């Protein structure tokens, strides 16, 4: 997991200014819009709180599992490709770039 610090409120910074800055920072996060607003509002309202409330916890384990599953599926699909000998001389077959093919 990765902890990303939320921008801190600047001295005398107005709420609208902070929210714009914080929401820009949060634009690429996968949280729903309402949750992003809540995080930014909480950070603005409680700037002295240096707990994990001012950090976003990002868990990449599900993304990694999905990527691994996609790779496995592509390898399985590539292994199912059947080329008949008469087609081999007339047809160029290339594997997707993510699939390594051992040439024996």
């Amino acid at each position: 997991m990765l902890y990303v610090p939320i921008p801190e409120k600047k001295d005398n910074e107005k709420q609208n200014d902070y929210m714009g800055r914080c929401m820009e920072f949060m634009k690429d996060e996968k949280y729903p819009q309402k949750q992003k607003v809540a995080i930014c509002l909480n950070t603005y309202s409680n700037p002295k709180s240096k707990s994990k409330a001012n950090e976003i916890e990002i868990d990449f384990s599900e993304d990694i599992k999905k990527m691994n599953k996609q790779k496995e599926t592509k390898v399985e699909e590539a292994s199912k490709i059947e080329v008949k000998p008469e087609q081999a001389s007339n047809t160029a077959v290339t594997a997707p770039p993510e699939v390594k093919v051992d040439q024996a």
Side-chain angles (χ1 to χ4, degrees):
M1 285 190 223
L2 176 67
Y3 291 99
V4 181
I6 302 297
E8 293 184 16
K9 175 185 169 188
K10 296 176 183 176
D11 292 337
N12 300 321
E13 186 172 25
K14 294 184 180 189
Q15 184 174 356
N16 284 344
D17 296 334
Y18 175 77
M19 290 299 293
R21 193 165 57 89
C22 184
M23 292 301 289
E24 178 65 24
F25 176 83
M26 299 281 284
K27 70 180 178 186
D28 294 330
E29 299 300 326
K30 294 182 181 179
Y31 294 108
Q33 186 73 7
K34 288 181 179 182
Q35 191 169 0
K36 292 176 187 180
V37 171
I39 291 169
C40 290
L41 281 174
N42 183 54
T43 306
Y44 180 83
S45 300
N46 303 305
K48 303 285 186 223
S49 173
K50 296 292 182 182
S51 66
K52 288 188 179 180
N54 289 341
E55 297 178 343
I56 300 173
E57 184 176 323
I58 303 173
D59 184 358
F60 290 107
S61 60
E62 288 302 315
D63 292 332
I64 292 170
K65 287 178 188 176
K66 286 178 187 175
M67 288 176 9
N68 287 337
K69 184 67 176 169
Q70 288 173 348
K71 284 182 182 178
E72 290 172 11
T73 302
K74 287 179 182 179
V75 169
E76 288 173 11
E77 289 173 0
S79 68
K80 292 178 184 177
I81 296 173
E82 184 179 322
V83 178
K84 296 178 183 173
E86 60 272 10
Q87 291 176 325
S89 62
N90 298 329
T91 307
V93 177
T94 57
E98 25 330 282
V99 177
K100 293 184 180 180
V101 178
D102 289 0
Q103 296 187 7

